[in-house]
Amino acid sequence: MILKHCVLLLLLASCPLLSFMKTLSDRTNGDTQVKVTGISESDGKVLHRFKRGWMWNHFFLLEEYTGSDYQYVGKLHSDQDRGDGSVKYVLFGDGAGSLFLIDENSGDIHATKRLDREEKAYYTLRAQAVNKRTGRPLEPESEFVIKIHDINDNEPKFTKKNYETSVPEMSDVGTFVVQVTATDADDASYGNSAKLVYSILQGQPYFSVEPATGIIRTALPNMNRENKEKYQVVIQAKDMAGQMGGLSGTATVNITLTDVNDNPPRFIQSIYQLSTSESADIGSSIGRIKANDADVGKNADIQYSIIGGDGMDVFNIVTDRATGEGVITIKKHLDFENKRMYTLKVEAANTHLDHRFLHLGPFKDTATVRITVQDVDEPPVFSRPSYFIEIHEDNNSGSIMGAVTAWDPDAANNPVRYSVDRHTDMDRIFNIDSTNGSISILKHLDRETLPWHNISVIATEISNPKQTSRVPVFIKVLDVNDNAPEFAMFYETFVCENVKAGQLIQTISAVDTDEPLAGHKFFFILNTMNPNFTINDNEDNTASILTKRGGFSRHETNTYLLSVVISDNDYPIQSSTSTLTIRVCACDSRGNMQSCNAEPLIFPAGLSTGALIAILLCIIILLIIVVLFAALRRQKKKEPLIISKEDVRDNIVSYNDEGGGEEDTQAFDIGTLRNPKVMDANKLRRDIIPEMLFPFRRTSPLKDNADVRDFINHRLEENDTDPAAPPYDSLATYAYEGNGSLAESLSSVESTATDGDQDYDYLSNWGPQFKKIADMYIGKDIYKDY
């Protein structure tokens, strides 16, 4: 049997809710084996008696315990416990050993710290009774639950601390605004700890809240946004069903009244006075008017219109959506002299109406606008916007071809002076009378050169020269038949030598720069009778040139000139004579031109074409030879004094003569400077011709051990005292090889010429510098002896 007895004790001395709870169930968890006396053992049967034990399901523990000792939870007891101290109680599961402790001897369970139901509502544990001595379980584990008993220790909390919402103005009472929601962490299934009641702390009498749902509704009719737009409502949520001692929380609801079209537009004044200049341009603004509307947004949109007055066709009004104003503009030109005052009746009406509030209307208003036209000094006005004048090109200079008219539109009617804008008449072809505006020509007009002239005429007030106007004048030059027709193009005409009489050789046409109204009609005739050719007028402004005979010859006459007279049919008749050049050409049987040049000259018999070509070639070759010979004589190459650019040891002397060429070996001997031993003392310089020849003997080079400095000084002195030296500075290069070595030459070039062995014992006398070479050569001879 698992557990026979269980006692649950809940001592709630500090809590007004004092309860003693125990839950038992009639579950059979095991059986007990009992031996019954009085039954013979011979039966061999053991009787089993099934006994019903008790098992608990839950323990209840009060949360937020504030006592100083551990809080008692309950007691566990097994029917195997005989009170002899051999039974040990063991606890397993959530918080066992730390949060919950069990007395292993008595089975009492205690909680070690204060528990919070909102953190964990129940704990599941397992208990077992074991033998202290053997550690063997006396019965199977049994599971039980410790539930945390809730107390009201959490205040309600709203899902938002601040709510933002809106409701249309003028809403009916009870219109839904918003619903607020609060929650309580306490146990809603036990008592009233989590039962909430909503109430309004601030916001009466405009709004109300439903206690059970937290729905906020309007409580006052006809709330006007124009009077007050924003409201702040404070809502409280209280637990314990709103009873005394319950906890509470609050939230703030900011409510904005949205606009509806419940206000019509109104002009701030009934009459508006505006003025404008009579010179104002069409479409320009002359003033603004505005009607006020207490609404906002689209509910305040206003459309302006002119509904009456004597200026409906002169003025217009448009709505400026950005400012809500009505802008009055000009539709037609104003004239102070004709009308000086206009009156308009203007209406301002809402464009978006709300039918619920039409009884508050009408949603429009009217006002009167008076517009005064101001006089200005206007420029002269022409009778036409432009003038068109025609004149024949044969009119003489000074002829009047037309006139323009302008006047001052002001009441003063000041006189006007006319002039031609010379920027449009650079050639000064036209002139205008400054008083009456008549236009005349100053130069001859030529339609073929310029058929149109476009000029501007300026009208200026005499009393105020700043007031000017201009008008365009288009002048068309009419045609007069003053140009004769001529060939339409240049014709290259030829006739074949084998042509027959009456054959067509050319068709000609004509052009005329004149433009008669009836069109061109040209007539073609020959200027004089011609025995070779004739002309046929085709009567379509073309003519045909025909041959009158056959058998033309290039050798006799290769070119013919044919004079053609071309006339028009306009008045006065104009004609011109043009010459047609006709060449005689050789043609094939089909009449195709082959050659129009004369045959080459025929040379005497016996001289063939090949011979002529050979003669010409010979002449050309001779001319080439002569040209080459002349070119070679002009371009003789001059030998430079210095052959190598790097060798500058010789004197650099410039002469204006060509010299003797390569065979002139007497002019300069460079070998003398290179080796003084070969210098000829009696040899004189031949590069220049001295005025006088002085006997001069070159001294031999320094002997013995003269150093380089002495050698150079000696040579310098020789050059300074040489009477044949040039009178200008020159570059002298001296090459001094020295007196030679004590060992003379060590070259082995001629060593093969000697038959005997060389004796190198003298090398040992040259000093320590030659010790190494002496050892090499002397040692070599020693080895040879062996």
Side-chain angles (χ1 to χ4, degrees):
M1 190 171 186
I2 299 177
L3 293 174
K4 186 174 182 181
H5 299 286
C6 174
V7 180
L8 174 63
L9 299 177
L10 298 175
L11 300 177
L12 305 175
S14 60
C15 179
L17 292 177
L18 184 61
S19 62
F20 178 76
M21 302 179 63
K22 178 171 70 173
T23 303
L24 300 174
S25 66
D26 294 334
R27 253 177 92 182
T28 302
N29 298 290
D31 54 5
T32 303
Q33 201 173 43
V34 181
K35 185 175 182 180
V36 182
T37 59
I39 301 176
S40 62
E41 297 179 359
S42 61
D43 293 339
K45 295 182 180 179
V46 179
L47 299 178
H48 296 274
R49 184 185 64 170
F50 294 92
K51 297 179 63 179
R52 186 175 299 277
W54 299 94
M55 178 185 177
W56 72 92
N57 282 335
H58 300 90
F59 284 151
F60 290 91
L61 184 64
L62 187 67
E63 71 168 335
E64 303 295 342
Y65 173 70
T66 58
S68 59
D69 298 331
Y70 287 166
Q71 187 179 5
Y72 181 75
V73 178
K75 184 179 183 65
L76 298 179
H77 185 74
S78 174
D79 57 358
Q80 300 295 325
D81 190 355
R82 305 301 180 186
D84 54 0
S86 63
V87 178
K88 177 183 177 181
Y89 294 96
V90 182
L91 192 64
F92 307 96
D94 291 344
S98 59
L99 184 59
F100 300 102
L101 300 178
I102 188 171
D103 190 330
E104 62 180 11
N105 296 319
S106 64
D108 293 333
I109 301 174
H110 291 81
T112 61
K113 67 177 183 179
R114 185 172 60 180
L115 301 178
D116 187 358
R117 190 199 67 83
E118 286 71 39
E119 293 181 2
K120 192 172 179 64
Y122 62 91
Y123 297 86
T124 303
L125 295 97
R126 301 186 308 278
Q128 191 175 34
V130 298
N131 191 301
K132 283 186 178 182
R133 290 185 295 273
T134 63
R136 296 179 63 185
L138 300 177
E139 60 182 18
E141 290 183 0
S142 183
E143 186 177 84
F144 65 96
V145 176
I146 299 177
K147 281 192 173 184
I148 308 302
H149 184 69
D150 183 49
I151 64 173
N152 187 20
D153 59 342
N154 292 280
E155 72 275 4
K157 293 183 179 180
F158 284 89
T159 56
K160 293 181 181 179
K161 192 64 178 176
N162 293 283
Y163 291 82
E164 300 288 338
T165 186
S166 61
V167 64
E169 64 173 333
M170 307 298 290
S171 295
D172 297 333
V173 175
T175 301
F176 175 84
V177 179
V178 70
Q179 183 177 12
V180 296
T181 303
T183 58
D184 196 320
D186 293 325
D187 190 359
S189 62
Y190 176 75
N192 295 326
S193 297
K195 188 174 182 180
L196 304 180
V197 174
Y198 298 94
S199 61
I200 184 167
L201 301 181
Q202 177 183 324
Q204 300 95 344
Y206 306 103
F207 300 95
S208 63
V209 63
E210 294 181 359
T213 61
I215 295 176
I216 301 175
R217 300 182 183 275
T218 57
L220 195 67
N222 300 327
M223 286 190 294
N224 196 340
R225 184 199 64 85
E226 288 72 33
N227 295 333
K228 186 176 181 180
E229 183 178 6
K230 295 183 180 296
Y231 296 86
Q232 190 176 74
V233 179
V234 178
I235 303 298
Q236 181 190 63
K238 190 174 183 179
D239 58 11
M240 298 299 292
Q243 299 176 6
M244 294 293 294
L247 303 177
S248 63
T250 60
T252 301
V253 182
N254 296 314
I255 303 174
T256 302
L257 296 183
T258 58
D259 185 62
V260 298
N261 192 8
D262 59 340
N263 293 279
R266 292 289 181 265
F267 283 106
I268 59 176
Q269 60 191 66
S270 59
I271 298 177
Y272 292 86
Q273 298 286 345
L274 300 177
S275 63
T276 182
S277 171
E278 64 173 335
S279 61
D281 296 330
I282 294 177
S284 60
S285 172
I286 63 173
R288 292 170 175 254
I289 60 175
K290 182 173 175 40
N292 294 329
D293 194 324
D295 298 321
V296 294
K298 67 176 184 179
N299 297 319
D301 287 347
I302 299 174
Q303 181 68 39
Y304 295 90
S305 60
I306 300 175
I307 61 174
D310 57 359
M312 295 182 63
D313 58 341
V314 180
F315 300 96
N316 188 24
I317 187 168
V318 294
T319 303
D320 188 342
R321 299 298 178 185
T323 62
E325 297 175 319
V327 183
I328 299 177
T329 59
I330 300 175
K331 291 172 60 176
K332 293 182 179 180
H333 282 294
L334 304 177
D335 189 355
F336 172 82
E337 288 71 27
N338 293 332
K339 190 172 180 62
R340 305 182 181 184
M341 177 71 72
Y342 294 89
T343 301
L344 302 176
K345 186 177 182 181
V346 178
E347 180 185 77
N350 282 140
T351 57
H352 298 85
L353 299 179
D354 193 333
H355 297 285
R356 297 175 300 171
F357 306 103
L358 291 180
H359 63 280
L360 301 176
F363 285 84
K364 57 185 177 181
D365 195 15
T366 60
T368 300
V369 180
R370 294 176 180 174
I371 302 174
T372 302
V373 180
Q374 298 176 349
D375 186 28
V376 294
D377 188 5
E378 299 175 88
V381 177
F382 284 94
S383 60
R384 300 178 189 175
S386 62
Y387 290 86
F388 173 74
I389 300 176
E390 292 181 337
I391 183 173
H392 286 88
E393 60 179 330
D394 61 348
N395 276 279
N396 298 324
S397 299
S399 300
I400 297 176
M401 59 182 184
V404 298
T405 304
W407 66 90
D408 184 9
D410 298 321
N413 195 16
N414 295 315
V416 175
R417 181 178 65 250
Y418 301 95
S419 61
V420 175
D421 185 357
R422 292 306 175 186
H423 292 91
T424 61
D425 184 24
M426 302 293 291
D427 296 330
R428 293 183 173 270
I429 301 175
F430 305 97
N431 190 26
I432 189 170
D433 191 295
S434 61
T435 56
N436 58 23
S438 59
I439 302 174
S440 59
I441 58 175
L442 297 175
K443 296 181 179 179
H444 176 71
L445 300 178
D446 187 4
R447 190 203 64 84
E448 287 72 34
T449 302
L450 191 61
W452 283 90
H453 297 271
N454 302 326
I455 65 174
S456 293
V457 174
I458 302 174
T460 306
E461 287 187 17
I462 296 177
S463 60
N464 186 5
K466 294 182 179 180
Q467 296 296 334
T468 61
S469 298
R470 61 180 59 233
V471 67
V473 179
F474 306 104
I475 303 170
K476 181 180 180 181
V477 181
L478 300 178
D479 184 44
V480 174
N481 191 27
D482 56 351
N483 292 279
E486 56 187 12
F487 280 153
M489 57 181 294
F490 175 76
Y491 294 100
E492 293 184 355
T493 306
F494 71 93
V495 61
C496 296
E497 289 181 313
N498 56 355
V499 71
K500 297 180 181 180
Q503 186 171 342
L504 174 67
I505 62 172
Q506 183 69 58
T507 300
I508 60 175
S509 62
V511 293
D512 192 341
T513 55
D514 295 323
E515 292 183 357
L517 296 177
H520 290 294
K521 177 61 178 176
F522 300 130
F523 302 96
F524 300 88
I525 60 172
L526 293 180
N527 189 19
T528 58
M529 295 296 295
N530 191 294
N532 302 309
F533 305 98
T534 184
I535 190 170
N536 183 25
D537 194 338
N538 297 326
E539 297 184 357
D540 59 355
N541 293 337
T542 63
S544 301
I545 306 299
L546 306 175
T547 58
K548 293 180 66 176
R549 66 180 180 87
F552 291 88
S553 176
R554 287 177 294 165
H555 304 298
E556 296 177 359
T557 305
N558 61 356
T559 302
Y560 293 92
L561 300 178
L562 186 64
S563 297
V564 179
V565 178
I566 308 174
S567 304
D568 57 21
N569 67 338
D570 204 355
Y571 179 82
I573 296 176
Q574 300 288 340
S575 64
S576 66
T577 301
S578 300
T579 302
L580 183 66
T581 302
I582 304 174
R583 294 184 300 161
V584 180
C585 300
C587 302
D588 58 12
S589 59
R590 297 182 179 179
N592 297 322
M593 180 182 66
Q594 291 182 338
S595 174
C596 296
N597 297 324
E599 292 290 344
L601 297 176
I602 300 175
F603 291 92
L607 191 57
S608 64
T609 304
L612 292 175
I613 294 175
I615 295 172
L616 291 176
L617 289 175
C618 292
I619 295 172
I620 293 172
I621 292 172
L622 289 175
L623 290 175
I624 293 174
I625 293 173
V626 171
V627 171
L628 290 176
F629 181 76
L632 289 175
R633 288 186 59 85
R634 290 193 183 126
Q635 298 181 0
K636 288 184 178 181
K637 186 174 182 182
K638 186 176 181 180
E639 183 71 21
L641 292 177
I642 301 176
I643 298 175
S644 174
K645 293 183 180 180
E646 297 180 356
D647 193 354
V648 293
R649 294 175 294 175
D650 301 327
N651 291 344
I652 299 177
V653 182
S654 176
Y655 303 101
N656 292 328
D657 61 317
E658 295 185 0
E662 295 181 355
E663 297 181 358
D664 185 6
T665 59
Q666 301 294 326
F668 198 84
D669 186 5
I670 194 171
T672 304
L673 294 178
R674 295 175 186 249
N675 192 356
K677 292 184 178 182
V678 300
M679 184 173 58
D680 187 1
N682 296 324
K683 187 177 292 186
L684 298 177
R685 289 182 57 177
R686 308 186 75 174
D687 53 347
I688 61 174
I689 301 176
E691 295 179 0
M692 296 179 62
L693 294 177
F694 293 92
F696 180 76
R697 182 178 178 276
R698 293 183 181 273
T699 60
S700 60
L702 296 178
K703 302 295 184 180
D704 301 329
N705 295 326
D707 58 7
V708 177
R709 180 174 17 175
D710 294 336
F711 170 76
I712 293 176
N713 290 334
H714 181 72
R715 294 298 300 272
L716 181 61
E717 183 179 359
E718 290 180 359
N719 281 277
D720 290 341
T721 58
D722 189 358
Y728 45 82
D729 294 336
S730 62
L731 177 64
T733 302
Y734 310 125
Y736 178 60
E737 295 183 358
N739 292 329
S741 173
L742 294 176
E744 296 183 354
S745 177
L746 295 179
S747 175
S748 60
V749 175
E750 298 178 356
S751 62
T752 58
T754 60
D755 297 332
D757 296 332
Q758 296 290 332
D759 185 8
Y760 298 104
D761 293 337
Y762 60 87
L763 295 176
S764 61
N765 298 326
W766 286 4
Q769 296 87 346
F770 297 93
K771 184 177 182 303
K772 184 67 176 177
I773 193 172
D775 293 340
M776 293 173 60
Y777 281 88
I778 295 174
K780 180 178 179 183
D781 294 340
I782 294 174
Y783 295 145
K784 286 183 179 181
D785 294 340
Y786 294 99

